[in-house]
Amino acid sequence: MKLQWARALQFDYRENVLKDFNEYRAPQVLLKEDNAKRGLIFYEGFRDLILSKTGNVATPLTANMLRSEHIPYNLFTPLETMPEIATEVFSKMIGMPIKQVSAITIEYAGKGDKSLYLNDRTSFDTFVEYLTPDHRKGGIGIEVKYTENEYPLGDKEGKDIAGDNRLYADMTAQSGYYLPQLEISMFLTAHHLRQIWRNHILGYSMLHKGDIDFIHHVHIYPEHNEHFHNLALPEYRTLLTEKGKESFKTITYENYFDALDQYRDDEKVADWVKYLRKKYLGME
């Protein structure tokens, strides 16, 4: 998604829908502090539920409408109140039968000691735990994007990839997700692919530790985000084996909203999807 388009959309939404006239605060996608604390960045229909998790604090999470930190709450937290719909939607998302969604967690990097996973700050924007019909445990690690493209390489991250953190290399090799010729040193310069890879192997580390029996990594982004739609995600897929491709799913906001819209007979869902389309895609 071109940043200018998204910025204009969020500026318009802040001013004309939320009536947050904040002309003296730059950038113009920031809510006033009192409105940020009230949680205006979140959908009103589930705002109380979301604020019970985030707290009434004005931070980039609750104030900056252009950054993606708040988006997982609006996209997935409402499904906590709709267990049957959640089960069907996530089952279709991964192409695997789900009996019951047992938890939806925003910002998740594993249970307890992080040194048993990747031993760094990598986390999923959303993590869905579920049970299969034969009572095995599954996980869906979801990465949510809006305008973001790629991130510069941090010092610790560079050292970890170069070999200081053997978990990167071990999880990559043991996963079976990647073609044999892959050298993880490529991610020192492949800035557009690095975060996708780290999240993918974070999921495998949870499988390796025995937390779950199945794992899928899902990348969700707006179709207008040309960086992911046309560049990063198609290129990343070329690095994967069939096993890797099976564990790696992508979905656009547009397709996700369409999936939710199948339940529009429920007025609560219809209003929620209308909000999502208006706020993130500028669709009436």
Side-chain angles (χ1 to χ4, degrees):
M1 179 178 296
K2 294 179 180 178
L3 183 61
Q4 296 88 341
W5 182 88
R7 184 182 295 280
L9 174 60
Q10 295 307 309
F11 173 74
D12 179 76
Y13 193 91
R14 177 185 65 74
E15 190 166 79
N16 295 314
V17 178
L18 299 181
K19 307 299 182 184
D20 179 292
F21 302 105
N22 198 13
E23 63 271 20
Y24 300 111
R25 192 172 183 189
Q28 293 174 319
V29 292
L30 290 179
L31 294 174
K32 292 179 181 177
E33 186 173 350
D34 59 334
N35 286 334
K37 289 181 178 179
R38 289 171 53 206
L40 258 63
I41 204 166
F42 302 122
Y43 173 49
E44 184 178 11
F46 295 97
R47 190 173 294 156
D48 289 343
L49 172 62
I50 294 171
L51 286 176
S52 72
K53 301 173 183 295
T54 65
N56 298 74
V57 180
T59 66
L61 167 67
T62 59
N64 192 324
M65 298 179 64
L66 202 59
R67 290 175 59 168
S68 65
E69 287 97 331
H70 78 281
I71 299 178
Y73 290 98
N74 279 333
L75 262 58
F76 299 113
T77 297
L79 288 174
E80 292 182 17
T81 70
M82 314 170 194
E84 292 184 3
I85 293 175
T87 295
E88 293 183 11
V89 167
F90 288 123
S91 179
K92 291 175 183 176
M93 186 181 289
I94 63 174
M96 183 172 174
I98 291 175
K99 179 181 180 181
Q100 175 187 344
V101 171
S102 45
I104 300 173
T105 306
I106 308 299
E107 282 297 315
Y108 184 83
K111 298 177 181 178
D113 186 353
K114 300 302 181 287
S115 67
L116 300 175
Y117 301 95
L118 293 186
N119 198 26
D120 64 8
R121 298 175 63 185
T122 307
S123 64
F124 290 120
D125 293 326
T126 305
F127 189 72
V128 180
E129 297 177 72
Y130 66 87
L131 292 176
T132 65
D134 58 357
H135 301 286
R136 289 186 287 176
K137 294 181 180 180
I140 307 170
I142 303 174
E143 183 69 13
V144 178
K145 293 299 182 186
Y146 191 51
T147 62
E148 296 91 341
N149 291 335
E150 58 191 45
Y151 296 93
L153 181 70
D155 290 341
K156 181 183 182 302
E157 189 181 16
K159 291 178 181 177
D160 286 343
I161 293 171
D164 283 13
N165 183 349
R166 284 298 309 170
L167 288 168
Y168 276 42
D170 290 345
M171 294 300 100
T172 299
Q174 293 175 33
S175 68
Y177 292 167
Y178 302 94
L179 296 174
Q181 61 267 33
L182 179 92
E183 296 285 346
I184 69 169
S185 58
M186 70 168 288
F187 295 113
L188 290 168
T189 54
H191 304 312
H192 58 305
L193 303 178
R194 187 170 54 251
Q195 188 185 21
I196 306 171
W197 161 68
R198 288 176 63 188
N199 276 270
H200 201 177
I201 60 171
L202 171 64
Y204 176 75
S205 75
M206 296 175 184
L207 189 69
H208 181 265
K209 180 175 174 286
D211 291 353
I212 48 182
D213 301 303
F214 302 98
I215 183 68
H216 288 88
H217 173 49
V218 175
H219 211 96
I220 183 168
Y221 64 96
E223 203 170 277
H224 285 86
N225 191 318
E226 296 175 0
H227 172 82
F228 285 107
H229 195 61
N230 297 327
L231 173 65
L233 294 174
E235 184 176 339
Y236 182 75
R237 278 193 163 273
T238 67
L239 307 177
L240 302 177
T241 61
E242 288 305 312
K243 181 181 179 182
K245 291 175 182 177
E246 174 56 32
S247 67
F248 183 76
K249 307 292 183 180
T250 62
I251 185 172
T252 63
Y253 283 28
E254 290 83 351
N255 287 340
Y256 176 61
F257 299 163
D258 286 348
L260 294 175
D261 205 33
Q262 296 180 35
Y263 307 94
R264 60 182 174 272
D265 288 346
D266 183 329
E267 187 175 345
K268 179 173 62 174
V269 176
D271 290 344
W272 174 37
V273 175
K274 182 178 180 180
Y275 162 86
L276 293 175
R277 285 183 170 137
K278 171 70 174 176
K279 187 171 192 293
Y280 298 115
L281 302 177
M283 298 172 59
E284 297 294 341

